[in-house]
Amino acid sequence: MRPFVLVLSSPSGGGKTTIARSLLDGREELGYSVSATTRAMRPREKDGVDYHFVTRAEFDARVAAGEFAEWAMYGGEYYGTLKAELDRLASEGRTAVLDIEIQGARQIRESVAGAVLVFVLPPSGAVLAERLRRRGTEPAKELEARMRRAAEEMAEAGEYDYIVVNNDLVSAVSAVAAIIDSEGRRVRRLPSLADDVARLKAEVLREAAALAATSPT
Ligand code: 5GP
């Protein structure tokens, strides 16, 4: 299977990061695209694992150098997918999983042929608010801003290729896994299809000939 780019978007607190991480667990053919960001590191986050944490000046310099496949501003901070990260995953033959917001998803759809876009919806507003509160990583004012932005982003979900409702982690992960498996079976992503079919055809014809030789006339 030829690797591709999978974009996972959802409002903040919608669960896409957890889904992306569970999805990648034990699936060697997938790789997480580690974004660069100017936002502050949260407790339990690791530089180079969750994000490449960079200064504003460094981010600006990398934008100017054309190092980003896409970038956007979110909550007053910059976030972007490095081309080098996508190249690394492609050279490893892995499908890249991008956990990015909608402006970035639009840029990837325009620039990366065959990219697959999945939007993860929360089951309800109350569940989304509760997940954000429980995460406890943002002050109250920022929570309100994220909820308002969530309302705007969800209105754009129709631009994506697939929708997954995150009722519970296990079924959301298996829904995204099913999308990846189906997309991987697309004819255009099977580079050896012509050779495989030619081989199969020769085998089938050999079997047919053998049958003809043994069947009574
Ligand atoms: P958080 O600060 O909660 O980690 O992320 C805030 C938002 O930025 C989330 O919607 C997340 O998906 C998005 N984000 C993370 N990395 C990137 C990126 O590289 N590009 C874009 N456009 N958005 C990103």
Side-chain angles (χ1 to χ4, degrees), residues 8-13 16-17 32-37 39-40 42 45 50-51 53 59 68 70-75 77-82 98-108 132 135 137-138 142 146 149 153:
L8 269 186
S9 295
S10 83
S12 184
K16 71 187 167 303
T17 309
Y32 189 72
S33 161
V34 180
S35 296
T37 185
R39 85 145 160 74
R42 293 180 186 140
E45 283 185 332
D50 298 286
Y51 283 104
F53 293 94
F59 197 97
F68 287 107
E70 63 75 31
W71 64 272
M73 198 178 189
Y74 184 98
E77 301 292 347
Y78 287 90
Y79 295 81
T81 303
L82 293 158
L98 276 58
D99 164 359
I100 65 176
E101 53 71 72
I102 190 162
Q103 304 167 73
R106 285 183 181 134
Q107 295 169 52
I108 293 290
L132 267 176
R135 192 168 78 183
T137 47
E138 282 84 22
E142 173 68 14
R146 286 193 173 221
R149 179 145 181 169
E153 287 184 341

Side-chain angles (χ1 to χ4, degrees), residues 1-3 184 186-197:
M1 182 183 95
R2 198 173 274 146
R186 278 193 188 272
V187 165
R188 67 165 185 268
R189 295 199 219 278
L190 300 172
S192 64
L193 183 67
D195 291 345
D196 294 345
V197 170

Side-chain angles (χ1 to χ4, degrees), residues 5 15 18 28 33 44 49 54 58 60-61 65 89 102-104 107 129 131 145 152 157 174-175 202 208:
V5 167
T18 321
E28 281 297 308
S33 161
R44 293 188 296 279
V49 175
V54 298
E58 191 179 342
D60 287 347
L89 293 166
I102 190 162
Q103 304 167 73
Q107 295 169 52
R131 283 181 185 156
E152 278 169 30
S174 64

Side-chain angles (χ1 to χ4, degrees), residues 18-20 22-23 27 164 166 168-178:
T18 321
I19 292 174
S22 313
L23 194 64
R27 288 187 65 147
V164 169
N166 185 10
D168 70 280
L169 182 63
V170 173
S171 42
V173 169
S174 64
V176 179

Side-chain angles (χ1 to χ4, degrees), residues 76-192:
E77 301 292 347
Y78 287 90
Y79 295 81
T81 303
L82 293 158
K83 288 178 184 166
E85 193 67 8
L86 298 186
D87 292 345
R88 176 182 68 81
L89 293 166
S91 73
E92 292 169 3
R94 295 154 92 193
T95 285
V97 178
L98 276 58
D99 164 359
I100 65 176
E101 53 71 72
I102 190 162
Q103 304 167 73
R106 285 183 181 134
Q107 295 169 52
I108 293 290
R109 193 186 49 207
E110 295 304 314
S111 62
V112 179
V116 177
L117 277 62
V118 178
F119 198 94
V120 179
L121 283 174
S124 70
V127 167
L128 183 66
E130 178 54 25
R131 283 181 185 156
L132 267 176
R133 254 198 308 271
R134 226 181 17 222
R135 192 168 78 183
T137 47
E138 282 84 22
K141 189 75 204 151
E142 173 68 14
L143 281 189
E144 182 196 331
R146 286 193 173 221
M147 286 296 284
R148 292 196 183 283
R149 179 145 181 169
E152 278 169 30
E153 287 184 341
M154 286 183 319
E156 313 298 328
E159 290 180 25
Y160 283 66
D161 300 309
Y162 294 95
I163 300 294
V164 169
V165 178
N166 185 10
N167 279 306
D168 70 280
L169 182 63
V170 173
S171 42
V173 169
S174 64
V176 179
I179 291 166
I180 293 174
D181 292 341
S182 310
E183 284 289 335
R185 290 188 176 87
R186 278 193 188 272
V187 165
R188 67 165 185 268
R189 295 199 219 278
L190 300 172
S192 64

